[in-house]
Amino acid sequence: MPVTEYEVYSDERYQGKHAFLGALIVTNKGRDRLTQEIQQIRQAFLLGQELKWGKVSNRYLHGYKSLLDVFFKDPYARFVYIKASKKQIGDQMAWFMNFLHQVIGRPSALKAWYVFHDEGFFRGSNDLKKVRSKIDSQYWGLYKKHTIRFAKEVNSKQQDLIQLADILLGAIACTHLTLPNSQPRLELVKHLQHQWKQHQKTRKNLEKIRHL
């Protein structure tokens, strides 16, 4: 049977005493589909090169709502996240490795994973590669195959799907904490909540957004 390849585009967010890790999960076809639609929205609403939660404003609100719509209306794309207090995190590499374990779930010879995280999260330049090696070593005895085929820190300014993950995570974090004082950000959070209710499952009956 063919192996399904999943791509993970992840980002982190610190808000007050809390910390979040979130990941957009797609296949290679999903990646191309979402990237094309994001580019179209960027051009239609003149959003500029970098899309992020911190840039949500009245001027660009409709564009950012359209970005959320791209995610929710895609039949297969999904988003997972974890929340912790900063005091609970301890070692960042261990925290991220635990997150990836939960993202991957039960390992399978029919699934392969490719991980891309926003650069600057880890202290060392090779920390993400070390995370990949540790996870692979734990699963290697089961299938004699790499569970994570590739892992790389990337510049979020050059990666649309990490930017989308940042926007999703920013809005989702607000549903756990206090709602934003900014009116356009508040409207975007409400838009996310509305779309979330309308699109709770993917076509494969997986949760569209899941708190791990």
Side-chain angles (χ1 to χ4, degrees):
M1 294 181 67
V3 174
T4 302
E5 297 182 336
Y6 293 98
E7 298 181 7
V8 176
Y9 296 87
S10 54
D11 199 10
E12 76 282 350
R13 171 163 296 277
Y14 300 100
Q15 205 158 317
K17 298 179 180 180
H18 304 278
F20 296 81
L21 277 172
L24 179 67
I25 303 174
V26 296
T27 61
N28 58 344
K29 290 182 180 179
R31 173 239 301 150
D32 292 342
R33 186 170 59 244
L34 288 176
T35 299
Q36 183 178 12
E37 293 189 48
I38 290 171
Q39 288 293 339
Q40 291 172 353
I41 290 170
R42 177 184 269 114
Q43 293 173 9
F45 292 94
L46 303 176
L47 295 179
Q49 290 304 307
E50 187 179 15
L51 310 168
K52 59 190 300 184
W53 173 251
K55 289 190 174 183
V56 176
S57 64
N58 281 321
R59 180 179 180 182
Y60 300 119
L61 179 59
H62 292 298
Y64 276 84
K65 284 183 177 180
S66 297
L67 290 171
L68 292 188
D69 293 344
V70 165
F71 165 72
F72 280 107
K73 292 178 181 179
D74 189 273
Y76 300 108
R78 55 196 176 95
F79 190 83
V80 297
Y81 69 99
I82 58 174
K83 171 181 174 287
S85 70
K86 289 181 179 178
K87 292 181 179 179
Q88 291 175 322
I89 294 174
D91 179 68
Q92 281 187 316
M93 190 165 71
W95 186 44
F96 188 76
M97 185 162 64
N98 175 60
F99 176 59
L100 281 186
H101 271 297
Q102 295 184 67
V103 170
I104 293 169
R106 187 175 181 179
S108 169
L110 300 178
K111 294 179 181 180
W113 297 83
Y114 297 77
V115 179
F116 305 90
H117 192 82
D118 187 22
E119 65 182 3
F121 174 69
F122 298 105
R123 294 188 181 92
S125 58
N126 293 318
D127 281 354
L128 183 54
K129 293 180 180 179
K130 292 177 183 177
V131 168
R132 176 205 170 192
S133 296
K134 286 186 177 182
I135 291 178
D136 265 354
S137 66
Q138 292 169 2
Y139 293 147
W140 182 262
L142 294 174
Y143 307 112
K144 307 302 182 194
K145 293 181 179 180
H146 293 293
T147 298
I148 300 177
R149 301 286 174 86
F150 184 79
K152 182 181 180 182
E153 293 182 64
V154 297
N155 184 343
S156 62
K157 293 180 180 180
Q158 300 170 2
Q159 176 44 254
D160 286 343
L161 298 189
I162 290 183
Q163 293 175 38
L164 180 56
D166 174 85
I167 298 164
L168 285 164
L169 192 58
I172 290 169
C174 291
T175 68
H176 286 271
L177 308 174
T178 55
L179 292 173
N181 293 323
S182 161
Q183 187 60 35
R185 289 184 195 172
L186 178 60
E187 284 192 41
L188 194 63
V189 170
K190 291 181 178 179
H191 187 71
L192 175 132
Q193 291 173 318
H194 173 75
Q195 290 286 52
W196 195 345
K197 289 180 181 179
Q198 299 298 316
H199 304 88
Q200 295 186 15
K201 300 282 186 177
T202 68
R203 190 168 291 174
K204 291 188 175 182
N205 204 35
L206 298 171
E207 290 182 74
K208 191 69 176 175
I209 298 177
R210 185 183 178 196
H211 183 189
L212 299 174

